[in-house]
Amino acid sequence: MVENIQGLASKAREKRKEGEFQDAIRLYSQCIELAGEDKAFHLSNRAITYMEAGDYSLELEDYKYLVVITDSRFIPDDYFIYQGICHLYLEQSQEVLPVWKKGLTAPYTDAAGGVVLPSLILYGAERIGDPEAERLALHLLEKPATRGSEGWPGAIVPFLLGRIDTDEFLNVAHSTSSEVLRARWQCQADFYIGLRAIRGGQFSKSKDAFRRCSNNPYGCYEAEYFLARWEVMNNFPDPAFD
């Protein structure tokens, strides 16, 4: 049984890499059915494949279900991050920030201890035009700011707060010897370069950064990629969703 699931999952990954998303979804669905109570991993893979396929409603259902079936001690903030992105694509902008704020209580966060979600709340606040959410995001970012620019994604904080420049920021993003990780971190870096540019009124620079992020070959592994892709698909709306 385990070998069968592993084989199906391997085929699903290949189909996803080849852009055959519906086949990948079908295979992940089989994995979910066979896995029983241990289906969270396959459900998460199906959810992100739904996003790549443009099936945002089904993706949202999967992420909501993941929150329900996962032990509350082990829920990652990713489940809420991607729910918010789904709402964005579904033109439900009023739901984006509430679900991201809910994710702040998730016990599992990024490697830097939870800098990505506050950074995304800052993005949402800027795009939606919510001063209260902006104040919350900046307050939350101040907490890990004392860690400085060592490591990734920790460098996002001093960069968004204007304490390091773009070159310093990119030096951290390029500090890994792994080509795949470097590409993924570059994707994230481009997104936050775009966000900082928006906040500074440099809209041409923000568009270029979001385009780079949305064209990253490994972007599908990062939440920021899907936000940048939304920016490009919607012709960089300014200054808010509504």
Side-chain angles (χ1 to χ4, degrees), residues 25-184:
I25 289 166
R26 176 179 53 80
L27 290 165
Y28 281 132
S29 296
Q30 292 178 35
C31 291
I32 292 164
E33 184 176 349
L34 292 170
E37 294 183 359
D38 298 322
K39 58 190 169 188
F41 175 74
H42 305 294
L43 191 61
S44 179
N45 280 325
R46 187 178 72 177
I48 199 66
T49 309
Y50 274 137
M51 171 156 274
E52 290 181 284
D55 294 331
Y56 309 116
S57 294
L58 293 175
E59 181 196 11
L60 183 58
E61 288 181 15
D62 274 0
Y63 275 114
K64 286 182 176 180
Y65 187 43
L66 279 164
V67 173
V68 171
I69 66 172
T70 303
D71 188 318
S72 60
R73 297 171 298 173
F74 306 116
I75 295 175
D77 59 4
D78 277 0
Y79 291 175
F80 299 96
I81 288 173
Y82 280 100
Q83 282 186 51
I85 296 172
C86 289
H87 285 302
L88 178 58
Y89 274 90
L90 291 169
E91 299 183 356
Q92 299 166 349
S93 61
Q94 72 282 358
E95 301 294 334
V96 176
L97 285 172
V99 76
W100 280 351
K101 290 177 183 178
K102 189 182 296 184
L104 293 171
T105 63
Y108 276 80
T109 63
D110 55 72
V115 305
V116 168
L117 189 48
S119 300
L120 295 184
I121 291 174
L122 184 64
Y123 163 77
E126 187 71 30
R127 274 306 193 196
I128 293 172
D130 187 330
E132 182 179 346
E134 179 185 30
R135 287 191 293 271
L136 171 64
L138 292 173
H139 171 72
L140 293 170
L141 288 172
E142 286 288 353
K143 292 183 178 181
T146 55
R147 300 173 190 173
S149 59
E150 295 297 324
W152 191 266
I156 294 169
V157 175
F159 178 70
L160 288 180
L161 295 178
R163 294 171 184 168
I164 61 173
D165 62 23
T166 301
D167 288 340
E168 293 174 287
F169 184 50
L170 289 175
N171 282 339
V172 182
H174 298 161
S175 63
T176 175
S177 60
S178 167
E179 291 185 14
V180 173
L181 274 182
R182 192 181 306 119
R184 291 175 62 174

